[in-house]
Amino acid sequence: MTLGALAGGAAQVGLAAVFVAAAPPKVLATAELTYTLERLGVHPAIARAASPVVVAAEFLTVLGLLVSPRAALPRGLALVLAAGFTAAGMKALADRERVACACFGAFGRSARLGWRQVRLFPAWLLLVVVAQSHPPEWEATFGLQVLATLALALTVALLATGVPLWSRMRGDRIAIRQEPAIEPAGLVEAG
Amino acid sequence: MTGVLAIAVVVGILAVVLLVVVSALVELFQQVQQIRGYLDMVDRVTPLDLGRSKGVSASAVGLPAALDTADRALVLFLSDKCGSCRTIAATLAGGALPPTLTLLIEPMGDSTASIADEFELVGERVLVDHGERIATLLGLDIFPAAVLIERGRLEAAQTVPTPRQLYAALPIVQARVPARRQSTNDQMTPITKED
């Protein structure tokens, strides 16, 4: 395997990894994506219709990049989506608005649209150009294995943040549960 | 080959579904945490400033002189009018206090330590801070609160929002296990349960 082929494969997997991290968490957060689009000035009806389309496009990009690695279309779709994210960041900057970004669902709740999207566009472009210049030639089976590996790795990463959160909340729940056993002080009759 | 591809498809789909489900779960946790934070229902302690009292001996601020020789101890301040104080008092009701805990009741207004009577808080380590003299000296104006004593000196203070945080703050006393069987002549008092 040549260095170019290795770089092309790595760039393709890198692109896919970003969309694997972005698409599944957004499946249950389309309302947030709709809100983000509305804040960017998109008509509410169009924003509602566009949210699932964006998520579906991200899923299609992942599948295309990994299952059909030689095809140029998934890389083109990745570039279009990246351009869309950058445009959203620029719009938020131009409007001087603090727009919450549902970019990665549970992975990045506090993220906001802005310079980050603009700065990342060259990186997107570089990955697409490298992958396009040396398109990977793996089989669909291997691509699906990569997909499963990426998804499981991200699941483990999510659990690493979710388990401590669950542990804290369980402690709070135990503490709160003890409260109803006591009559609130305000209800105790004086004298 | 078709079989391998079918298995890869199933595994890929299951892995993505698992990621979606775990994402939803974490999202749910974050939302519950956000709601609890908004409703002030998070069980979290707040450090309190002891000011000039930090580092002084326990008896210097009016606490029992026995605490001056304590390696580690906790003094819990309970007001007889706050809801959280009553919750904590209820967990201590009727039984012996943990060995490292001293309880200070802050009677509000004209009341005379009613929380101690109501929850049967009795013993040598249950005291009443008349006129909030000690609490005022320490600058404590929020209850329930606790002051940690280390080697007889006031080390730190914090709020105690729940019984869970009280037990978390309590210094642990290592049980002293005799290295060998003691003879009956030793001055040891067996622990007996009183009826």
Side-chain angles (χ1 to χ4, degrees), chain A residues 28 109 158 169 171-172 185, chain B residues 24 27 30 36 43 81 164:
Chain A
L28 297 153
R109 287 197 62 81
L158 262 182
M169 289 203 322
D172 285 348
Chain B
E27 174 83 20
Q30 288 170 340
R36 282 189 188 168
D43 186 23
K81 289 294 178 200
R164 183 173 74 118

Side-chain angles (χ1 to χ4, degrees), chain B residues 16-54:
Chain B
V16 172
V17 168
L18 185 66
L19 179 57
V20 171
V21 170
V22 172
S23 301
L25 207 59
V26 173
E27 174 83 20
L28 200 66
F29 289 162
Q30 288 170 340
Q31 285 187 13
V32 172
Q33 192 187 38
Q34 200 174 9
I35 292 167
R36 282 189 188 168
Y38 183 75
L39 296 174
D40 202 17
M41 290 171 74
V42 180
D43 186 23
R44 190 182 301 143
V45 300
T46 307
L48 300 173
D49 186 15
L50 281 173
R52 288 182 178 179
S53 299
K54 185 176 165 66

